[in-house]
Every structure is written in structure tokens, then in C-alpha cells.
Amino acid sequence: MDCRESALLVSVLLLALDLCSAQNYVLSDDGGLGRVFDGIGGLSGGGATSRLLVSYAEPYRSQILDFLFKPNFGASLHILKVEIGGDAQTTDGTEPSHMRYENDENYYRGYEWWLMKEAKKRNPNITLIGLPWAFPGWVGRGKNWPYDYPDVTATYVVNWILGAKQYHDLDIQYVGIWNERSFDIKYIKVLRNMLDKVGLIGVGIIAADGDWSVANSMILDPYLNNSVDVIGAHYPGTTTITEALKTQKKLWSSEDYSTFNNEVGGGCWARILNQNYVNGQMTATISWNLVASYYEDLPFGRDGLMTAEEPWSGNYVVESPIWITAHTTQFTQPGWTYLQTVGHLAQGGSYIALTDGKGNLTVVIETMTHNHSVCIRPPLPPFNVTSQNATFWLKGSIASIKELQVWRSQFDFKTNKPSFFEKLKPLKLVDGSFTLNLAEDEVYTLTTVITGSKGSYPDPPPSARFPKVYKDDFDVRRPPFSEAPYFADQTGVFEYYINLTDPGPHVFTLRQVLTERPITWATDADQTISVIGDYYWQSLTVTCDVFMEKMNAGGVFIAARVDKGGQSIRSAKGVFFWVFADGTYKVTNDLVGETVLAEGQSGTEVHSWYTLSLTVKGQYASGSLNGYPLWKNAVVLTPKAGWAAIGTRSFELAQFDNFALVAE
């Protein structure tokens, strides 16, 4: 025997040993099927997380939407969940309400209507869900709680569903019930009854869209049990509870992920998409958030499936979670069914298998290691994953499958050269089986579905900072959205306004429209504020025309170096230049107005236009009123940088016009 023959024999023996060492797994429908798959989705809301997306110019905005929703292109999402805006701070900003007051209805405020229509345009079968995080103050009838008057709250929510259909031809399939403090059983029953009475029998209720605790009450209360279609949990850590399983209801991870969308974030998403079913029998998983389209230095920056935070440049980034999503969404559809034969791999990782009942099969395998798949919450217990060989045997009605398409993602943390959603050669099955050599941190899809594809567009424009010179006169006769570009409302709502009583230059303005504190689980500031610009600006001039509408106690401000937003907005610091309706001004180092840098008489009054200008350079700040210096050289030691902003003293009507920024 020569050397070549010896080498060949050794190779054959090694291959045989390799195959013998492979762990065997059976995929079969012989014993029946598992739960019905309901889909993978994204969540726009819970705090104005799609705020910057609407300001993208074409074709980039449509390209982003394609990566999210277009079938067989990118994430190909099955579900879109949106916030029913409540005018309140709900994580990264506020979203406007359709019923700001009890006798007010407007189904064109905000951008969620537009987003749902764009998603539906790309995927007519997409499941639409609405959930209120907060409510306008009137819903509570004087209380900071929305459920003491369940008929009022249910009417508010049902009107939103009816308005979606009447004004936008959108069919909402589910509505969630959630509040961070608790859920209300009476409200769930009232809502179910009201939905049925107005003909919305097919709209399902997700409860409590927070945790599993409603299951205990459902077991004891048949009417409650019949009212709820889905038990939804947030960040369940891939596990459920016995009581939830006993209800026999659909179990969803109705908000999950919430993790920075780098490679570890992609690993988190890969692990929970499989293990939410393997460990917890959850048949849908919804990512918070859909797209990171808000200023990155707000809370939970870049926690979306992809990043689109620069409408001024057109730049966006298709992050790894998009392609991890595609491993499941492009090869399954809601209505497919999980096999009962799903589980964990012997050396770590997991596998799921689904069928459409018509001969198609999709298997998704993940081998994410602990440190490369940590989600932001909950804490992840230790576990080990090592390279392994796995042989899968197809039994039952799927045993006749001869070939599977193969898609693979390799994170490759060692070389930082990952490859995502790569199509490999089809795999021929031998005696109804196939064997894979699985490395650490990989995702495989093996499927009979042949329509998958990795969509692409030419590279978007390069990333760029917010422009150093920026102006907006708000003179838009038919604005496509109710809010002005790039402004991110943190407390209050700032909307385009046409002042038909003003024949002068200020007919088209931006107006703060809230006069009452909303009901919210987050902590709104006492002042309203909308931020804009570059968080890292140090030296800049902010100029804006302002108009106070609240007698006596009214006031407005412009600001620079605002260092906090979102849920932390109450503690924001910066340089705030205030003028008040009582003829005074104040300069403060914080939004609450406790640290005063300068103050005095301004002569300002209600129902008159004034031009404010604020310049901050180095450690000094100065301000002018109508072009005349009002104060100068106030010492500002901190913060060193931050956004520009506009706002009001309280929840009050006020207008802003001719906004301008010049940064160094």
C-alpha cells in the first residue's frame, strides 16, 4: 500500500468516525404536531423609535422599508406592532394621540398609520397589532391611571381600531393591554364586549402584554379566559409558566430583544427566536424595536433590527438581526406548524422544525455561545456550546424529502469576518437523513422552500453628522406628517400649525399642543421639550421666533447642550434660555430650572412674536431678544455638549417659527 492509498484510507476512517460520533436527532410528525406558528415581528413605538425614518428622502426610505417588510428580500417580517400614541414619553420620545381630548378625533397624526400602510403594501398578509403605552390625561378623569373608567378607555382604543379601517383601510388583528404597574381584569372584559358590539369580533386581545401573571386569573375566570386570545410576555428569557400553558392559549413573546444591534445583538436574536419555542412554547416573537431610527444617544440607542438614524445623509445600515430574522421568516409563514420534535443540541444550541402540512419543511439550527448571545434582559444563566456533528433523520410524512436548500450565517467573532445569510449548495438526503458539522456561533436554515433570497441595493450615501448649518421655517402647506423633520419630542407634542388668524409672516408654525399632562408609566418632565441636532455639539448658536399663548404663567425656551432625553428627560441639563409672559427671562443650567445662571426683565408678553438667540461657546453663553443682547457671558461648566432644543414652561400652547442652528 503506497502513501496515497494510506492517506485515502485514513481519510475514510476519519470520516466514518466523524459520522459515528454525530449525535442523532429525529424530525417527525408521526406523533402529531406542535403549536401553530404565528410569526416574527417588529415593534414601532414604545417611545418614538421610528421617528427619524419618516424624514428619509427617497429612494432610501423605501429601501429601508424593503429590508424590513418585503417578502424574500430581507427580514420579511410577518408582524408589525405599533404604539397607539398617547402624547406621552414612552422611552425615547412621545407619539401623538388620535383623541387628544374627549371630543377630538384625528386619524392622521403621527407616522404609524403611514408605516402600517407601507408594511401592508409590501406584505398584504402582515399581521397588524396596536398597543397603548400611555393615554391622554382626560382618559383618567382626573387620575393618573387609565383603568378606573374602563368604558372610557375601551372607547378610546376601539376608536383607534375603527379609525384605522375607516381612514386608512387597515385591519388591526390584535390589540394589547398593558401597563407597567398592573393589568385590569374588568377592563379586559369591557374591551372584549365593546369590540364585539361594534363588529370587531375578529380583533384578538393580547393580555397582559407584559408578563404571564394574567394566566392565573384566566384559569379561575372562564369569561376572562374567553376574552383573551393571546397571553403576551415581555422579555421572558425563553421560558413560560405552567399556568400559561394550562390555558391552551397562544403564547407570545410580545416584546423581546431590546439589545444593541451589533453581532452580539444578532446572536441574542438568533438564540431567542429558536428557544422561545423550544423552552417556552411561544409561537411569535416581536422585536423592540423595529428599526433604530431615533437619536442614538437617547436610551437604548441602536436597539432595532437595523439602523436608520441619519435622514439628513441618507445613510442606513442593514445590521445582522435583519439576516438572522430572514433565516426563519423567508422560509415559514404564520399558519405553519411546529413539529413536536424540536429541542436542544447535545453540545449546546437548539433546533426547530416547521411544516406547512403540504410537504414543505423548514429546519432552523443555532449554536450561539453564551457570551455572543447575551440579551439586554433578563440575565442569561451560564451554558456551554462546542463544535459538534449532528445527524437529523426525517420520519413520517416528511421522510420522502430528497433535497434541502441550505442557508448559513457565521458570526466568526475570532476574525471579525462574519458572513450572513449565505446560500450554500443544496443538501442531498441519504436514507432520509443529513449530517452537519456545526461550529460555534452559527445559524443554519435547511428547507424545501426555494424562494429565499438575499436582497440588496447599492450602498447608501456615507454616514455624516447632522449639518452644522440648519434652518426650518415650517412653511409646509400640506405636510406629509404632523411633526417637523428631525425634531424628537421628549415631553409634549410639537406639530405643524396653520394660524389662519395671522396674516403676517407666521402663518405656518410649529406648535406645542398639549395643555394637560398625559397618563404615562414613564416620567414626563413638567416642561415640554423637543430636541434636535448633534448630541456632540459644543459650540453653537440657536435662533428661533417664539409666541406664548398662556396668560400670566406662560413661558418658552430655546436650549443648547441638552444632555439627556427619553425616560431621563426630567434630569436633563444644558443651557436653557427662557422668556415668560410676565415680562421676565431666566437662564438655567437644567430643564427643571433650579440652577439659575442669569435672570432679569425681558418685557415679553403673551400673544406677541419674539426672536430669541442663544450662543454657547466654550464655558460662556449669551442670549439676545429681537437682536438686542439681553444677557451675556454666563458661565457654563457642564454639560460639555448636547442637542439643541425648544420647549415650554408647562403643558401649554405655544408656537415656534424660523428655527435655525449654526454649529462650529
Side-chain angles (χ1 to χ4, degrees):
M1 183 182 297
D2 62 23
C3 292
R4 286 178 297 177
E5 291 174 325
S6 298
L8 180 59
L9 179 60
V10 169
S11 297
V12 171
L13 289 171
L14 287 174
L15 178 60
L17 288 170
D18 210 29
L19 291 173
C20 289
S21 66
Q23 186 73 29
N24 291 289
Y25 306 91
V26 174
L27 302 176
S28 175
D29 58 2
D30 274 343
L33 296 172
R35 290 185 170 232
V36 175
F37 176 63
D38 294 306
I40 307 299
L43 200 170
S44 173
T49 53
S50 303
R51 178 66 193 89
L52 297 176
L53 173 61
V54 298
S55 298
Y56 269 80
E58 295 293 353
Y60 310 115
R61 190 172 69 180
S62 288
Q63 292 173 5
I64 296 164
L65 293 167
D66 284 351
F67 279 114
L68 294 168
F69 300 116
K70 186 177 178 181
N72 301 314
F73 188 84
S76 307
L77 292 171
H78 303 135
I79 300 170
L80 172 60
K81 180 177 178 180
V82 303
E83 178 174 358
I84 301 175
D87 290 334
Q89 170 59 247
T90 53
T91 297
D92 287 298
T94 67
E95 297 204 24
S97 169
H98 62 289
M99 292 181 69
R100 188 151 290 146
Y101 310 103
E102 191 165 8
N103 60 352
D104 162 68
E105 291 185 56
N106 185 324
Y107 297 94
Y108 293 96
R109 295 183 184 126
Y111 43 81
E112 301 297 3
W113 313 108
W114 165 84
L115 183 60
M116 286 189 284
K117 288 188 286 188
E118 291 295 324
K120 198 82 172 175
K121 187 188 304 180
R122 288 161 173 80
N123 178 5
N125 297 318
I126 197 165
T127 298
L128 298 178
I129 304 172
L131 173 68
W133 271 254
F135 299 86
W138 65 269
V139 172
R141 293 287 195 263
K143 298 181 180 180
N144 190 41
W145 182 244
Y147 300 124
D148 284 347
Y149 301 91
D151 289 325
V152 174
T153 305
T155 299
Y156 175 83
V157 171
V158 169
N159 281 351
W160 184 86
I161 299 171
L162 291 171
K165 182 63 175 178
Q166 180 179 349
Y167 295 94
H168 302 285
D169 195 27
L170 293 168
D171 293 302
I172 306 299
Q173 280 97 335
Y174 293 93
V175 62
I177 298 167
W178 176 76
N179 190 288
E180 193 172 67
R181 288 181 282 180
S182 71
F183 61 91
D184 189 276
I185 292 174
K186 183 179 179 181
Y187 169 68
I188 295 173
K189 296 176 180 178
V190 169
L191 178 60
R192 179 71 271 161
N193 185 54
M194 190 174 294
L195 287 167
D196 293 345
K197 277 187 175 181
V198 299
L200 296 172
I201 298 172
V203 176
I205 291 177
I206 305 171
D209 216 339
D211 59 33
W212 302 118
S213 58
V214 70
N216 298 291
S217 301
M218 290 169 63
I219 291 172
L220 299 173
D221 186 337
Y223 187 84
L224 175 65
N225 190 66
N226 291 336
S227 298
V228 174
D229 297 86
V230 177
I231 303 179
H234 293 187
Y235 310 99
T238 76
T239 62
T240 185
I241 62 173
T242 302
E243 290 78 7
L245 291 166
K246 283 182 179 178
T247 66
Q248 295 297 303
K249 296 290 184 178
K250 294 176 181 288
L251 307 180
W252 289 5
S253 179
S254 53
E255 182 178 324
D256 215 328
Y257 178 61
S258 189
T259 301
F260 193 79
N261 59 21
N262 59 6
E263 258 53 313
V264 172
C268 152
W269 188 232
R271 178 176 54 80
I272 65 176
L273 283 183
N274 265 23
Q275 296 193 27
N276 274 347
Y277 186 77
V278 171
N279 300 337
Q281 296 286 288
M282 286 167 267
T283 55
T285 299
I286 301 174
S287 165
W288 188 89
N289 51 68
L290 171 72
V291 53
S293 205
Y294 47 100
Y295 288 113
E296 189 169 329
D297 293 283
L298 289 169
F300 305 101
R302 265 186 60 187
D303 278 13
L305 296 176
M306 63 180 291
T307 304
E309 58 187 17
E310 290 185 15
W312 47 85
S313 73
N315 180 261
Y316 62 85
V317 183
V318 183
E319 312 282 4
S320 63
I322 290 289
W323 303 119
I324 295 304
T325 309
H327 272 280
T328 301
T329 54
Q330 289 202 21
F331 310 106
T332 61
Q333 288 299 321
W336 283 44
T337 308
Y338 286 96
L339 301 187
Q340 290 186 15
T341 51
V342 301
H344 292 277
L345 298 169
Q347 302 303 317
S350 65
Y351 62 96
I352 57 170
L354 303 97
T355 179
D356 66 351
K358 301 174 183 177
N360 281 311
L361 174 72
T362 291
V363 182
V364 184
I365 302 167
E366 59 81 22
T367 59
M368 297 309 305
T369 57
H370 180 281
N371 291 348
H372 296 154
S373 66
V374 176
C375 303
I376 193 171
R377 70 190 83 152
L380 184 61
F383 62 86
N384 292 315
V385 177
T386 57
S387 299
Q388 57 197 296
N389 295 318
T391 298
F392 292 85
W393 297 86
L394 276 54
K395 304 291 186 180
S397 69
I398 58 176
S400 59
I401 294 173
K402 302 299 183 185
E403 182 178 273
L404 292 170
Q405 306 298 310
V406 183
W407 295 79
R408 181 182 65 187
S409 290
Q410 295 178 311
F411 283 85
D412 202 350
F413 288 90
K414 293 179 180 178
T415 64
N416 284 327
K417 293 180 180 179
S419 63
F420 292 112
F421 205 57
E422 178 186 9
K423 193 175 192 306
L424 306 183
K425 291 181 179 179
L427 189 64
K428 303 289 185 182
L429 275 64
V430 179
D431 297 327
S433 71
F434 63 90
T435 299
L436 293 176
N437 182 274
L438 302 171
E440 298 173 2
D441 299 322
E442 291 186 331
V443 179
Y444 276 89
T445 297
L446 300 105
T447 180
T448 57
V449 177
I450 61 174
T451 53
S453 65
K454 186 172 185 177
S456 65
Y457 284 113
D459 289 342
S463 175
R465 311 295 306 193
F466 194 97
K468 290 187 175 182
V469 177
Y470 178 77
K471 296 181 180 180
D472 195 338
D473 60 11
F474 311 123
D475 289 351
V476 183
R477 292 183 179 273
R478 292 182 179 84
F481 303 101
S482 55
E483 303 101 324
Y486 312 155
F487 280 91
D489 302 344
Q490 300 302 300
T491 302
V493 178
F494 296 75
E495 294 180 343
Y496 283 113
Y497 179 65
I498 301 177
N499 186 354
L500 299 177
T501 63
D502 188 346
H506 300 294
V507 174
F508 299 94
T509 67
L510 200 64
R511 192 188 202 197
Q512 200 296 119
V513 295
L514 298 193
T515 58
E516 181 180 25
R517 178 182 292 279
I519 300 169
T520 180
W521 56 274
T523 307
D524 279 306
D526 295 320
Q527 307 77 14
T528 73
I529 177 172
S530 187
V531 302
I532 188 173
D534 191 320
Y535 183 76
Y536 297 96
W537 275 342
Q538 297 181 356
S539 299
L540 74 155
T541 296
V542 185
T543 304
C544 191
D545 295 347
V546 299
F547 183 90
M548 292 173 280
E549 300 184 53
K550 184 177 182 180
M551 300 289 290
N552 302 321
V556 297
F557 69 81
I558 61 173
R561 291 188 185 175
V562 178
D563 70 342
K564 291 180 183 176
Q567 297 162 293
S568 303
I569 190 61
R570 287 182 71 88
S571 59
K573 298 189 182 306
V575 183
F576 298 85
F577 176 19
W578 312 73
V579 293
F580 303 108
D582 65 0
T584 64
Y585 78 91
K586 186 182 292 186
V587 184
T588 67
N589 205 186
D590 50 2
L591 179 61
V592 297
E594 291 181 349
T595 305
V596 179
L597 304 177
E599 58 186 332
Q601 297 297 312
S602 62
T604 50
E605 58 186 13
V606 74
H607 296 156
S608 293
W609 280 98
Y610 301 96
T611 300
L612 300 183
S613 185
L614 166 66
T615 298
V616 183
K617 188 171 184 178
Q619 296 184 358
Y620 297 98
S622 302
S624 66
L625 175 68
N626 292 340
Y628 296 97
L630 190 61
W631 55 278
K632 59 182 179 179
N633 294 332
V635 177
V636 181
L637 299 179
T638 59
K640 301 295 185 183
W643 296 291
I646 57 176
T648 64
R649 184 182 201 173
S650 63
F651 289 91
E652 62 186 270
L653 300 176
Q655 296 179 58
F656 302 84
D657 201 3
N658 297 321
F659 180 83
L661 295 170
V662 178
E664 293 185 9

